[in-house]
Amino acid sequence: DKPALLVRLEVNRCIRTISTSRDAVEVVASLRTLAGYLPDGPHARASASEREEFDRAHYTMVLKVLVGGLHADWRQRLTSAEHTELWGAFFLQGPPDQALLVIMDCIGTIGQSSGQDKMVDILELYLQNGRVGALLWSRCQGPGSPDSPQLRETLLGRMVSLPDLMANRLYPHNRPLFLSAQYYSLLAQEFKFALDKTCKALKDGQDCSLRFVAQLLGKTCVQGHSEHLFKDLVPHLSASTRSDMVWQRVCWRLMEDIPDRWMESVVTGLVQVVTGPAALARILGNLVVKNKKSQFVLTHKLLLLQYKYETCVLRTLLGYLAQDRERRPLLIQVLRALCQAWSSSSSVRHTPVEQQLYLSRALLLCVSLLSEAELQELRAELMQCMLGGMQCHLDSNVVRIRRIGMVVGECLSSRLNTQEARLKFEYEQDEETKELVSMMDPFPPEDAVLTDSDDELTPYDMSDDREMTKSAPPRYIRDCLEGLIFSEDPTRVELSLQAAEGLVRKNPSAAREVSVELTKVLLHLEDKYSTPSFLALRQAAMVALAVVDSIPVAEYLTTEFYSVNYSLRQRMDILEVLALSAQELSKPIAEQGRPSLPPSAAVTLVDPQSVPSNWRQVVEQRIQSKTRRFGKSGAPAPVTATPNRYASVAGFFFFPLLQSYDRPQVTFDLLGSDHLVLGRLVHTLGLLMHLAVNAPVATQMGRSLLDFVPGGSGVLFSVCAVFLSMPGQCLLAELSDHLLETRAWLAGKSIFSQQPYPIYWIRSCFYLKVSNTSFLCTFFSYILIVISSRSSHTAASVFPPPAI
């Protein structure tokens, strides 16, 4: 129809503007247009039919668009009042079931970020503003909800499991309102609100359905939260049903609509919380007669299979069965079952004493509730139970069981026989026997139940809220990623870049989730806003990512090094990040809180209490105590072994850089015009080789690097790194062919021809065919010093020429 078409066109136009426009004025205007379809607020203008069409077909889509704009720049520019009026109002004024599903799905999908914090704030306001009660009441109106069973199950699951879901997402910073005790207490208040509205609607002649409320009640109880829920709900139901017949019918229908698979949890929780049999009867009605599941639980399971409940629960349960003419046959049925169990010799032998005591209490309570006519009808059965059961109990070798048999025999005899035929036993009186005797006393009157207080929840204190005058630094790594990708605000980009390294190192687990994506963003990031220290901040963040999540980041960087459409600067950046991160990974992890070692030249003081009597010893002691000795330090402190984090990942840094060096790309020729990058590549490979000293993969790395190097000073650095890093026993055993080729190559090089000693050392070492690995390591250490210092005087002073 025409109104629906107009609504769809207008909503689609506004959604397109919010999703694509970067003009905050346009976005705010579109939000105000959409706010006109909400039922309340200053912008409400739509008719009832238009609002119904919006709620049915467009409301969820609008919420998802608003959630997608959590990190948009326009949202950052909204004032606090505009944010509440044009953003939060959509979640608090539309259909409550759709809003809850969108909020919970959003919190469950996004990670730790300011966006998650904002959605948690919205959920908190949703609960505090009574939106759960509005949801329940919306499901009570009319004959029944038209939605699908899948949607209803999803909604029930979100509502019942909200504390568990929030605890998993927010740990360890969960909020008090989402804790089980507070949430289910709030849910009980919303149950009361929905049932109150239902009673008023029924009195006004409206049709209502309690199916969804009953399903929510059953699912909450089956997950073990009946105690928190019924603690606040049952007193209100008991008080409301005392004099209002409509309330009684509502409660009866509520219990009848609970599915059978959840009936046991509801009935068990209700029996434990309700104050007496009369209150239980007003809430349950004759459910035990109509529903077979509840009948099995109340007449069999709670009495014969379980024995953990207090005497008050037994009084409430058996009193409920005895109060109504339709339920009274079930009391006789229960009594016969209890007599059979109590007089069974097998039961006495194989059940614990606690269960025998529980059965005895239930049996005596049932007998005390019988009328005279019923007693005379069951006299023979009770007499047989008394005699058989007493025999079984008195034959036991457990003192407590024999005493239970005596007490129950006396009580049954007193109830069945006249004055002249009573049984009397001699046993020690204690609290247990006194409690059994008290089971024959008349039921006490039900305590008065006070009406619950309907105090409203304390409103959320927003007096200290302040408007954000500028962008705040991000607190989560995902906020950094969003700010660097989507934001065009220079301040926000700068703050995100400044905080990136610290957030990566502070929360490694969150950084690993977005490590490759953030590395990609940083590698392609351009300094569009002239950010101070841009290159240093970007490099530090990428190094932190490579250290925290080494393998994925190293695989990405080494793959991108040979990819097309990269500048030489970006390729050099990749090599620098790999080298710096490898250096950091190879360093030992410093122990925090380690005590510092005492100085080696400390002065020893003489204890006046221990002065020797000989004056020579006194003088010598004083001389020793005042003498400083340099070079005679104590035993060196033992070196604590620390794991080398680089050793296990060295191959991921090293080998991919050797794969495609001889394949010229469209914009990159490593062996041709781009020889500058080749020199840096060889130097980086040598550094990665040198840092892999003592690593298991060092031998394979050394063989690959010697096959790769073509010539130059950077190559000589790499060759030296190979000999310094490989295990000594592997140099001549596994690389003999490579050593001969390297010797020939070094002998013909004139790179150090202007220096007096290095080339003489090289040729002497290889022509003499030195096989001492320790000497080789010393020799190549010398070459590294020459390469790094570029000074012949420094090299000659460290290693003088050999005498050959």
Side-chain angles (χ1 to χ4, degrees), residues 692-714:
V693 59
N694 296 327
V697 76
T699 302
Q700 185 179 356
M701 292 172 63
R703 183 182 295 108
S704 301
L705 187 56
L706 287 180
D707 289 336
F708 164 73
V709 291
S713 60

Side-chain angles (χ1 to χ4, degrees), residues 430-476:
D430 57 8
E431 294 298 326
E432 193 172 280
T433 59
K434 294 179 181 178
E435 182 188 18
L436 284 175
V437 173
S438 67
M439 297 296 104
M440 302 299 294
D441 296 337
F443 273 41
E446 184 176 348
D447 295 332
V449 181
L450 298 178
T451 304
D452 287 352
S453 173
D454 290 331
D455 294 339
E456 296 293 334
L457 295 174
T458 304
Y460 190 79
D461 185 11
M462 303 179 66
S463 59
D464 295 332
D465 284 7
R466 292 175 296 178
E467 293 186 7
M468 299 295 294
T469 57
K470 62 178 182 179
S471 299
R475 295 186 299 165
Y476 303 100

Side-chain angles (χ1 to χ4, degrees), residues 5-22:
L5 178 62
L6 295 177
V7 171
R8 182 168 66 253
L9 292 176
E10 187 173 45
V11 170
N12 290 338
R13 178 181 59 79
C14 293
I15 289 177
R16 187 164 51 252
T17 301
I18 296 173
S19 303
T20 59
S21 178
R22 299 185 182 275

Side-chain angles (χ1 to χ4, degrees), residues 328-396:
R328 206 160 176 90
L330 296 176
L331 179 66
I332 307 301
Q333 176 183 327
V334 168
L335 177 60
R336 289 187 171 125
L338 290 171
C339 288
Q340 183 179 359
W342 191 80
S343 60
S344 170
S345 59
S346 176
S347 175
V348 174
R349 287 196 305 269
H350 298 100
T351 56
V353 179
E354 291 76 15
Q355 188 168 4
Q356 287 295 316
L357 182 61
Y358 186 83
L359 288 172
S360 301
R361 291 203 300 260
L363 176 61
L364 295 179
L365 283 172
C366 277
V367 173
S368 68
L369 290 170
L370 294 177
S371 64
E372 289 299 328
E374 293 168 336
L375 190 62
Q376 293 302 322
E377 181 182 352
L378 298 171
R379 183 182 183 87
E381 296 180 34
L382 292 175
M383 185 65 70
Q384 183 180 358
C385 167
M386 180 184 69
L387 297 177
M390 284 176 55
Q391 183 66 38
C392 296
H393 285 77
L394 293 177
D395 288 343
S396 175

Side-chain angles (χ1 to χ4, degrees), residues 575 670 674-685 714-715 718:
L575 295 176
L670 194 62
D674 298 323
H675 53 82
L676 175 64
V677 182
L678 176 62
R680 178 58 64 87
L681 173 62
V682 174
H683 186 274
T684 302
L685 290 170
V715 173
S718 299

Side-chain angles (χ1 to χ4, degrees), residues 118-137:
K118 185 59 188 174
M119 295 309 300
V120 172
D121 293 338
I122 288 293
L123 179 59
E124 206 168 27
L125 290 174
Y126 182 96
L127 297 178
Q128 292 172 342
N129 290 349
R131 298 304 294 166
V132 175
L135 190 157
L136 296 179
W137 168 236

